[in-house]
Amino acid sequence: MHEPITDIVIVGGGTTGWLVAAHLNHRLQWGLGHSDGVRITLIESPDIPVIGVGEATIPPIRAMLSLLDIDEDEFVARTQATFKLGVRFDDWDRDEGSDRAPDASVRSFVHPFTGGLQLAGRDPAASLLAYGLPADLTIDPQLANLVGHGVAAIAAHRSPRSLADAPYAGAINYAYHFDAGLFAAFLREVCTARGVEHVRDTVLGIDQDDRGHIAALRLGSGTRRETELVIDCSGFRGLLINEALGEPFVSYADYLPNDRAVAIQVAHDETHALLPATVSTASDAGWTWRIPLRSRVGTGHVFASGFMTDDQAVDTLVRRNTGFTQLTDARAIPMRVGRCRNSWVGNCVAIGLASGFIEPLESTSIQFVDYACRRLLRAMPSRAFEPTQIARFNTEMAELYEEVRDFLGLHFTLGNRRDTPYWRAVAHDAKRSDALAHCLALWRHALPDDFDPRSSVAFGAGSVRAVLFGKRFYTAPIATGTDLLPREHWDRYARQIGALQQILVGALPPHAEMLRMMVGRAAIGASAARKAPMLGLPDRDDPFTHEPQIMAPDTRLARALSG
């Protein structure tokens, strides 16, 4: 019988390194009071700055924080967090002829985290395409607004939860915006209190054994740190996985052309309410983000360097923030878009940017870290490093990267903008995978569903429908399937939705007010002071084994309709 791994070293700090430490610590060291837990050490270079991009998240982060026994009120207070109910996409598509009209109105749609409502097992999208909305109804006509009340809650600047709700629960599915630097510091405090060793040093090189495994790390202090399992969280550099072990990197540049970003921070405009959504606005050669925190607004510009210089990108970003006080100088961030051929090689596992990166349009970076940690813990090998465990991990990570790459491809390749060289190149030259091309051919004649031949670990059929309808992919009713409702039933449902949304959204507290109440009751230090959980009854919804998708059903709206 092979011996279990008892010594794990994480190379790199920041959000990724400390999230990995929190996962490993909770499962192997602190959680359930392991008296014989493994030794976990995080080595963080004092000379390498943290990138800090990734302040917007997606809903699975709530299951992750709950799993790690992080107090939600304290998390919100310590990280300047706000709620995120979805992403609003502005100016990614334009009405016919509007490219030549300087005063054309901006077209927008929302990818919400709440939706997927069905009517007697039928998809409302079929009836929306066939009938439209009743002429006297004035609600937002996008599909996402007719299958949940998340879009309406965003427009009304509402919180997804009240103080009466249990931690990490609410009337609407939600994620957060937060300060990545503050989050990393918060996790460091929690992890070190629970037993993780923190070393400030720089990894200069490695020593390998006769298997090619990393036997030891050579540090800037002159010491040599032996290890059994190494986690590479060194960022885009890929210090161990790429530089030391030579694992090739698979570029996604042919699919997603953006390769740089510039970022600044600006002050809030007190005349605007705190929006519970990320805003993504298309630009001449990419797109800009706007992420509201309680203390400031994070904003940046993701772009393709083949069509725009850094100075041009900064100029666009500054102009879009006219009227807002700029708090920081712009900084440029090169992006390595793609993934390592294998994220796990020998006894080295790359997680986070060292493993791969898909541009931040749908805020998936932290989710990749969470997913990799849980997959690693399920596949944890013995000291023999069984090849089957490693192969399974590498296959699952590759499939997730490709799923997210293809989902983002919907945003870019289905757009109708042709007003700049960038958008013309995206439309004509950006590559689509065979899987995505096959699904698009299916969706021309049918609505997306959960049986489509595509990976849907993160983005299910509801998310696909939100994007396809937002981009007006469908130009005529669907002739296939059996989802179409009788006209009178559809009209009655549409009117009910409008009335019920007003009631449900009106019952939610204002976004900023709810955050103030959570911060006011937060106990600083509560997470670090928690005692290890004791073994309880099996939980069918254990977030360690359950993989939540981005969009969740609107159960409250469904109950209101049935009542």
Side-chain angles (χ1 to χ4, degrees):
M1 180 176 177
H2 297 298
E3 294 293 321
I5 289 171
T6 59
D7 189 9
I8 302 174
V9 175
I10 302 162
V11 176
T15 298
T16 296
W18 287 109
L19 266 181
V20 172
H23 268 287
L24 298 180
N25 167 263
H26 193 279
R27 190 76 174 183
L28 302 173
Q29 191 177 46
W30 176 82
L32 297 180
H34 275 287
S35 59
D36 56 347
V38 303
R39 180 187 183 190
I40 301 171
T41 305
L42 187 146
I43 300 176
E44 186 173 23
S45 174
D47 304 321
I48 299 176
V50 176
I51 287 180
V53 172
E55 295 173 327
T57 61
I58 52 180
I61 190 176
R62 293 180 7 247
M64 180 192 76
L65 293 173
S66 176
L67 170 69
L68 298 177
D69 285 287
I70 301 295
D71 182 86
E72 186 177 21
D73 290 344
E74 185 184 15
F75 162 76
V76 169
R78 296 285 296 272
T79 65
Q80 292 293 327
T82 61
F83 292 122
K84 176 183 173 183
L85 310 186
V87 185
R88 194 183 79 204
F89 295 92
D90 291 348
D91 206 24
W92 280 73
D93 296 88
R94 294 180 175 178
D95 294 325
E96 186 175 356
S98 64
D99 285 344
R100 296 182 296 275
D103 59 346
S105 61
V106 173
R107 228 172 81 182
S108 300
F109 73 92
V110 175
H111 174 199
F113 297 149
T114 306
L117 194 69
Q118 299 282 296
L119 304 176
R122 291 167 173 81
D123 189 340
S127 298
L128 177 63
L129 286 173
Y131 308 128
L133 291 178
D136 60 336
L137 203 58
T138 58
I139 65 172
D140 186 335
Q142 62 178 301
L143 174 66
N145 190 48
L146 301 172
V147 293
H149 63 300
V151 175
I154 291 172
H157 301 88
R158 296 289 175 166
S159 164
R161 66 186 307 272
S162 69
L163 285 179
D165 288 314
Y168 301 110
I172 300 175
N173 198 26
Y174 65 95
Y176 311 96
H177 307 113
F178 58 77
D179 184 306
L182 293 178
F183 184 49
F186 177 40
L187 287 175
R188 181 176 65 239
E189 174 187 307
V190 172
C191 289
T192 53
R194 295 177 180 180
V196 174
E197 299 176 36
H198 183 206
V199 175
R200 287 277 191 179
D201 210 335
T202 301
V203 174
L204 300 180
I206 65 170
D207 294 330
Q208 293 175 270
D209 62 18
D210 54 6
R211 297 177 296 175
H213 288 194
I214 298 175
L217 302 168
R218 287 182 274 110
L219 305 180
S221 59
T223 59
R224 183 176 180 273
R225 176 64 163 84
E226 295 184 353
T227 187
E228 296 169 6
L229 174 65
V230 186
I231 314 297
D232 186 352
C233 299
S234 62
F236 285 131
R237 180 181 176 187
L239 174 66
L240 303 180
I241 194 74
N242 300 127
E243 291 188 5
L245 298 179
E247 182 63 17
F249 185 80
V250 179
S251 174
Y252 287 168
D254 289 344
Y255 300 85
L256 301 169
N258 296 333
D259 60 356
R260 290 186 70 78
V262 292
I264 62 174
Q265 298 173 10
V266 299
H268 280 290
D269 179 350
E270 298 300 328
T271 63
H272 290 79
L274 195 61
L275 188 72
T278 302
V279 178
S280 165
T281 305
S283 72
D284 286 348
W287 58 276
T288 60
W289 77 75
R290 191 169 185 81
I291 298 173
L293 307 185
R294 296 200 320 280
S295 57
R296 60 173 173 82
V297 177
T299 183
H301 190 180
V302 178
F303 63 100
S305 61
F307 296 89
M308 179 176 280
T309 66
D310 284 4
D311 288 344
Q312 290 171 326
V314 170
D315 182 64
T316 296
L317 185 60
V318 170
R319 281 189 284 106
R320 289 193 172 183
N321 286 280
T322 299
F324 294 85
T325 302
Q326 187 171 326
L327 303 176
T328 61
D329 293 332
R331 59 189 179 112
I333 305 165
M335 303 189 310
R336 185 179 73 157
V337 178
R339 62 174 176 86
C340 290
R341 182 183 61 183
N342 292 297
S343 294
W344 187 340
V345 176
N347 67 334
C348 176
V349 183
I351 295 180
L353 300 181
S355 167
F357 178 72
I358 309 295
E359 72 152 75
L361 184 62
E362 288 280 1
S363 311
T364 49
S365 292
I366 288 176
Q367 179 63 13
F368 275 117
V369 176
D370 175 44
Y371 184 94
C373 287
R374 286 184 288 119
R375 290 301 181 275
L376 169 61
L377 288 167
R378 287 186 205 162
M380 182 64 69
S382 71
R383 293 184 197 177
F385 287 91
E386 291 79 3
T388 53
Q389 302 298 87
I390 296 173
R392 176 187 176 185
F393 177 92
N394 284 328
T395 297
E396 291 175 338
M397 290 306 301
E399 287 175 350
L400 182 62
Y401 279 115
E402 289 170 4
E403 174 192 330
V404 175
R405 177 201 66 194
D406 286 354
F407 184 76
L408 296 193
L410 296 176
H411 287 282
F412 289 99
T413 64
L414 294 184
N416 70 353
R417 288 189 56 167
R418 304 290 187 271
D419 55 308
T420 68
Y422 169 85
W423 287 110
R424 289 191 288 272
V426 166
H428 299 302
D429 301 332
K431 188 176 179 181
R432 290 174 179 166
S433 70
D434 291 342
L436 179 58
H438 180 54
C439 284
L440 285 169
L442 290 176
W443 296 333
R444 280 295 175 193
H445 306 286
L447 297 169
D449 63 36
D450 292 330
F451 299 99
D452 289 330
R454 57 178 290 272
S455 172
S456 56
V457 172
F459 296 103
S463 291
V464 174
R465 284 192 293 268
V467 175
L468 293 185
F469 274 77
K471 300 187 80 63
R472 301 186 187 179
F473 177 76
Y474 296 101
T475 57
I478 294 291
T480 63
T482 59
D483 286 309
L484 190 64
L485 291 165
R487 179 63 182 264
E488 62 272 20
H489 289 279
W490 168 250
D491 285 354
R492 183 168 66 249
Y493 165 77
R495 289 191 171 89
Q496 281 182 298
I497 285 289
L500 289 172
Q501 279 183 350
Q502 291 185 15
I503 297 171
L504 293 172
V505 171
L508 297 172
H511 183 201
E513 179 182 316
M514 180 61 194
L515 293 170
R516 282 194 295 271
M517 290 189 291
M518 292 180 71
V519 171
R521 72 177 183 181
I524 304 303
S527 301
R530 281 191 175 181
K531 301 298 183 184
M534 301 305 294
L535 186 63
L537 295 174
D539 184 357
R540 290 179 299 174
D541 294 322
D542 180 2
F544 183 76
T545 56
H546 175 61
E547 195 72 57
Q549 290 184 334
I550 307 307
M551 186 181 290
D554 195 328
T555 54
R556 296 205 184 184
L557 182 56
R559 286 199 299 269
L561 284 166
S562 62

